[in-house]
Amino acid sequence: MDSAFERHCSELVARERSGHTAVVEETLLYVWGGYMSIADNEVFLPNDEIWVYDLERGVWEVFHMSGEVPPSMSGTCGCSLNGHLYIFGGCNDNGQTNQIYCVNLTDGKYTWRKIIHETGSAPSPRDKLSCWVYNGQIIYFGGYGHKLNHCILKFCFQVEDVLWGWNNEVHIFDPMQASWSEPQTNVSQCDSCFYTLNAMQRFLLETRTSDIHCLDFQSWKWSEIIPVSTTPVGRSWHTLTAVSDGALFLFGGLSVDCKPMSDGWLLDVETKKWREVEHPFKNKPRLWHTACPGKDSDVIVFGGSCDYILLVDTGHCNDALVFQTQPYSLFRICEDYIAKNARNYEMLRSQLSLLPPKLLTAVQRRMSFYRPSKKHKY
């Protein structure tokens, strides 16, 4: 037991990055791709490695990836389905792509597989899109890139007979059938915009807004949620994460006056009321970060930038921020309190063996999270 308190080891942590992909499986955060800035140059992170962060112990590991490895990219859209990470789209020095890849996160091999669809048509090449997992299928929305449908002139432009801009169509990928389909959605003609439910973002050339739209997966109809409370300021490059069936957590982004944001808000979708959340990371603004739902309705934010990246692209981050959005259970409160304080209190430390076995095991793992350590970038 004493070795747990005496651990002062040097550790590796994932490099700073923005525009990466992250998912949570059980108690592990998986991070792939993205880019960082070195001497005013955008450098894509290695495509043949995946970083894994143990959310209980606070420890990073990195694993080599093999197989049909996708190119290094930023802005790819990732999700977890049946223990597999699926990524679609993204952008690198060669432009946007519309390829889809998957990798098993549970077998320890991390072998990429490029998926060749058998039926249907894939979306046009794009990045910065969003997705949901629903009934074993992946539903994609929006993104920036080749524009195939009718567009409003001020939101797209033409280069060599190809229209570029923000897309607003919905596409469905069925991994079991390796098929693409495109449902006909009923979208109000408000603007050419990009909005989602899990990671709501809206990118316009002239303004940033704070509206919310919801897509019904049965009728494929969009509806706008009109809040009846104080509303967060308009923004883009933020995240909106489902923490329960009826609550969404908003964090960060770039405000209407191009200020990186650090505020957090909860939206009750039933009452349509926003509530600002107090949290300890007010000095850590983020944009183009990732936010993943964890256990006990926690939200795990990783990476992103603390600068207005369109002007100053140097403030990329590599810390993992854990946001509490709901009251914890008594078990979780006890686990965290004991793990955090046992090292400094001899009486508490001497009585650890008296804990119930399940709580003792959880505390021993959690104690690693609060250990002193020196962390080194990889």
Side-chain angles (χ1 to χ4, degrees):
M1 183 67 66
D2 288 340
S3 61
F5 298 101
E6 299 302 325
R7 183 177 179 185
H8 293 266
C9 59
S10 296
E11 300 170 6
L12 298 178
V13 297
R15 289 299 302 262
E16 301 92 338
R17 66 190 69 200
S18 297
H20 51 284
T21 291
V23 298
V24 167
E25 276 286 319
E26 300 294 336
T27 60
L28 300 177
L29 171 71
Y30 295 86
V31 177
W32 181 85
Y35 81 100
M36 63 180 299
S37 298
I38 299 178
D40 296 328
N41 294 317
E42 294 184 359
V43 178
F44 292 99
L45 276 298
N47 57 342
D48 61 351
E49 66 181 31
I50 190 166
W51 285 86
V52 183
Y53 182 67
D54 189 316
L55 294 166
E56 290 187 342
R57 298 189 300 126
V59 175
W60 281 101
E61 291 184 274
V62 61
F63 296 95
H64 177 74
M65 310 187 81
S66 58
E68 299 172 300
V69 181
S72 297
M73 294 183 290
S74 69
T76 190
C77 185
C79 66
S80 176
L81 174 59
N82 296 328
H84 289 70
L85 167 64
Y86 288 82
I87 65 169
F88 170 77
C91 181
N92 60 18
D93 292 334
N94 296 318
Q96 280 90 355
T97 179
N98 65 348
Q99 301 299 313
I100 188 167
Y101 298 81
C102 76
V103 58
N104 190 330
L105 299 177
T106 63
D107 63 2
K109 298 179 181 179
Y110 301 109
T111 303
W112 282 106
R113 179 169 64 91
K114 184 177 181 179
I115 301 176
I116 306 299
H117 65 274
E118 298 180 2
T119 58
S121 299
S124 61
R126 62 189 65 189
D127 66 343
K128 304 181 185 72
L129 64 159
S130 288
C131 70
W132 307 266
V133 172
Y134 181 73
N135 283 348
Q137 298 178 322
I138 308 174
I139 302 173
Y140 294 95
F141 173 76
Y144 181 83
H146 294 190
K147 198 165 177 62
L148 301 181
N149 58 340
H150 175 72
C151 70
I152 300 174
L153 183 60
K154 70 176 182 176
F155 297 124
C156 64
F157 58 93
Q158 187 168 343
V159 178
E160 296 180 351
D161 298 326
V162 177
L163 289 174
W164 291 79
W166 293 102
N167 292 275
N168 66 351
E169 72 272 12
V170 173
H171 295 267
I172 303 173
F173 181 73
D174 187 329
M176 296 297 294
Q177 304 297 325
S179 65
W180 284 103
S181 60
E182 183 179 356
Q184 295 303 307
T185 58
N186 187 356
V187 182
S188 60
Q189 299 298 317
C190 55
D191 278 323
S192 180
C193 58
F194 171 37
Y195 38 79
T196 72
L197 186 60
N198 273 350
M200 181 189 73
Q201 298 179 341
R202 181 167 180 165
F203 299 82
L204 300 180
L205 297 182
E206 297 181 350
T207 188
R208 296 179 177 87
T209 65
S210 59
D211 54 346
I212 306 173
H213 297 256
C214 176
L215 177 62
D216 187 316
F217 290 156
Q218 301 298 321
S219 64
W220 299 109
K221 290 184 178 180
W222 286 101
S223 59
E224 184 174 359
I225 299 177
I226 307 297
V228 295
S229 63
T230 301
T231 302
V233 299
R235 65 192 69 199
S236 61
W237 304 90
H238 52 286
T239 50
L240 187 70
T241 309
V243 295
S244 70
D245 289 340
L248 306 171
F249 178 70
L250 167 70
F251 176 68
L254 192 69
S255 70
V256 291
D257 56 356
C258 299
K259 175 185 176 183
M261 305 291 288
S262 63
D263 54 338
W265 295 75
L266 275 173
L267 174 68
D268 186 317
V269 297
E270 296 297 330
T271 64
K272 302 179 182 179
K273 291 183 178 180
W274 284 103
R275 174 174 62 86
E276 188 166 6
V277 177
E278 290 298 321
H279 62 80
F281 308 118
K282 291 296 182 71
N283 63 337
K284 294 181 181 252
R286 293 290 184 273
L287 55 109
W288 211 7
H289 51 282
T290 53
C292 303
K295 74 170 186 176
D296 299 326
S297 297
D298 283 347
V299 174
I300 299 89
V301 167
F302 175 74
S305 175
C306 59
D307 290 330
Y308 179 21
I309 57 178
L310 298 181
L311 295 179
V312 181
D313 194 15
T314 58
H316 301 280
C317 308
N318 69 340
D319 43 358
L321 314 178
V322 180
F323 291 83
Q324 178 184 353
T325 67
Q326 304 291 338
Y328 286 152
S329 65
L330 180 59
F331 184 93
R332 173 72 183 270
I333 293 173
C334 293
E335 173 190 337
D336 283 351
Y337 180 85
I338 297 171
K340 185 176 182 179
N341 293 282
R343 182 177 182 273
N344 298 319
Y345 294 96
E346 175 60 33
M347 181 178 295
L348 183 60
R349 186 163 68 247
S350 65
Q351 298 182 26
L352 287 179
S353 60
L354 303 179
L355 292 174
K358 182 179 178 181
L359 180 56
L360 177 59
T361 299
V363 167
Q364 288 174 332
R365 286 184 57 85
R366 192 65 172 160
M367 279 163 46
S368 178
F369 185 87
Y370 295 105
R371 73 201 178 284
S373 63
K374 292 182 178 179
K375 296 185 178 181
H376 294 272
K377 303 170 188 175
Y378 181 79

